Amino acid sequence: MKSLIISSFLLAFLVMGNTVNAQKFSELDKSPLDIAMFRGQDKAPRVRVIYSRPQRKGRDVFATKDGLQKYGEVWRTGANESTEIKFYKDMMLGDKKVVAGTYTLFTIPGEKEWTVILNKDLDTWGAYGYKEERDLVRFTTPVHKTAAPIESFSISFQPTEAGSDMFLGWDDTYIQIPVEEIQ
């Protein structure tokens, strides 16, 4: 009986040892994935944004030539894969009607205003394959300066009477986009 217990223990130890050593996990991404959600007063989802959050790390972010993101160039609005935005029902984004569905969110940062773009192409990496002819919605919105620098690119929603404002901010810059439910 004693040898059976010892044999069982050794077998379990060997099997467990092989399983633990076989696992390898990747390091934490330098631009971690995040989700921003806007829910209606009934708590049901209205808009979901899936994006990666690049870090400032003391670098110039938005600039004419030496920034991480140059003014006047199409940006994936985050890092890694292009930012994905899903509308669970028809909504107004800025002054544009958006039909329920999933789109890619691109922007073109500028010193005084940004162009906001919803594009029909999905599952794209960065802005490398961006095609203007696939745009669904395109409009401009003014740039605002932050009270303090934002280290990680961030997207958030703030409730309003008509829906929500979506904020996109990084470094010393943010934009505000009204998102309203169509009644």
Side-chain angles (χ1 to χ4, degrees), residues 38 41 91-92 159-165 178-183:
F38 160 45
Q41 291 183 353
M91 305 287 284
M92 294 295 292
T160 65
E161 284 190 30
S164 182
D165 283 336
V179 181
E180 297 180 6
E181 297 188 47
I182 296 175
Q183 302 300 327

Side-chain angles (χ1 to χ4, degrees), residues 93 96-98 116-119 134-139:
L93 185 68
K96 306 290 184 181
K97 182 179 178 180
V98 178
V116 177
I117 304 165
L118 292 188
N119 190 276
R134 301 281 297 150
D135 289 353
L136 176 76
V137 167
R138 182 183 268 248
F139 61 92

Side-chain angles (χ1 to χ4, degrees), residues 41-57:
Q41 291 183 353
D42 61 358
K43 304 296 182 211
R46 299 296 193 266
V47 181
R48 179 188 71 199
V49 183
I50 300 174
Y51 68 108
S52 289
R53 302 183 67 187
Q55 313 297 304
R56 186 168 162 242
K57 295 184 180 179

